[in-house]
Amino acid sequence: MKLANHIRKGGSDEWYTLPSSVEIILPYLKKRGFLKVWCPFDTVNSEFVKILKREGYEVVHGHIQTGEDFFKYEEVPEGCEVIVSNPPFSLRDDIFERVYKLNIPFALIMNGNGLFDSKRRFEVFKNNNFELLVPQGRMKFSDGVQAKTPPNYQSFYVCNGVLDKQIEFCYMSK
């Protein structure tokens, strides 16, 4: 079943990011000089956690399945300078409101379809800085066992305080 159809039919939107999608954000994180990254939607086995640690970043991670609820944090974990993750697309209104309220740079993978359709998101983006890192082609995701056919929509990073321009384009390895 295609990812978009699965989510639309009420399935889980717990889909895992492949290394190629993590690697495209690395040059921007390095350029900004971030040292400590918060991955609030990730387990220890997340490609974000593994790759960021491999690249020398200090990483704080958490996941609802292990008792760390992003929405219950009163403040950003100590020393964290940026949020980087692939959060559940179904919660994007709440997530964007929350990251802006926390006042921390972020780079979050999001489904591009309808990104600005919601009245809530429209107002959030209208009233705050945002940046887009748009890869050529479509990101693939994994169900934890194998990579799935790319969804019928494009995903990209929605950022704040990470990119040099409001819209950046990049290539992604296969």
Side-chain angles (χ1 to χ4, degrees):
M1 179 182 292
K2 290 195 173 194
L3 174 59
N5 291 335
H6 178 74
I7 293 169
R8 196 175 306 115
K9 291 181 180 180
S12 169
D13 62 348
E14 181 75 18
W15 291 87
Y16 305 101
T17 309
L18 299 181
S20 58
S21 298
V22 176
E23 290 166 357
I24 63 173
I25 197 66
L26 293 175
Y28 303 96
L29 300 176
K30 288 178 184 177
K31 186 172 184 181
R32 290 277 185 230
F34 296 122
L35 301 174
K36 190 170 182 179
V37 179
W38 183 22
C39 298
F41 304 97
D42 298 83
T43 68
V44 70
N45 295 317
S46 158
E47 292 298 333
F48 281 106
V49 173
K50 293 189 294 190
I51 291 171
L52 289 166
K53 283 184 176 182
R54 179 193 75 205
E55 294 295 317
Y57 292 94
E58 184 177 349
V59 179
V60 174
H61 63 86
H63 194 281
I64 192 81
Q65 292 175 345
T66 54
E68 296 97 0
D69 184 341
F70 171 71
F71 296 105
K72 294 193 176 171
Y73 280 84
E74 294 293 322
E75 55 189 43
V76 174
E78 187 175 337
C80 289
E81 303 163 300
V82 62
I83 294 173
V84 181
S85 194
N86 174 13
F89 294 175
S90 65
L91 299 174
R92 60 188 178 173
D93 284 349
D94 296 329
I95 289 167
F96 284 120
E97 285 179 350
R98 184 82 174 122
V99 293
Y100 282 112
K101 184 178 178 184
L102 290 169
N103 195 28
I104 182 174
F106 62 83
L108 300 172
I109 293 177
M110 267 306 137
N111 164 358
N113 282 358
L115 184 62
F116 305 110
D117 286 356
S118 153
K119 285 182 181 180
R120 283 174 66 193
R121 280 191 309 275
F122 179 86
E123 289 301 319
V124 166
F125 291 128
K126 179 180 172 286
N127 295 315
N128 292 282
N129 177 58
F130 73 93
E131 305 143 359
L132 301 175
L133 179 61
V134 182
Q136 181 186 35
R138 293 186 180 155
M139 290 184 185
K140 288 184 178 182
F141 298 92
S142 166
D143 63 3
V145 177
Q146 65 183 12
K148 294 297 183 184
T149 303
N152 59 359
Y153 52 77
Q154 187 170 18
S155 297
F156 40 78
Y157 279 92
V158 178
C159 306
N160 176 35
V162 174
L163 306 179
D164 291 332
K165 299 185 292 190
Q166 188 167 26
I167 300 176
E168 297 263 357
F169 295 91
C170 67
Y171 294 99
M172 186 169 46
S173 64
K174 302 251 181 217

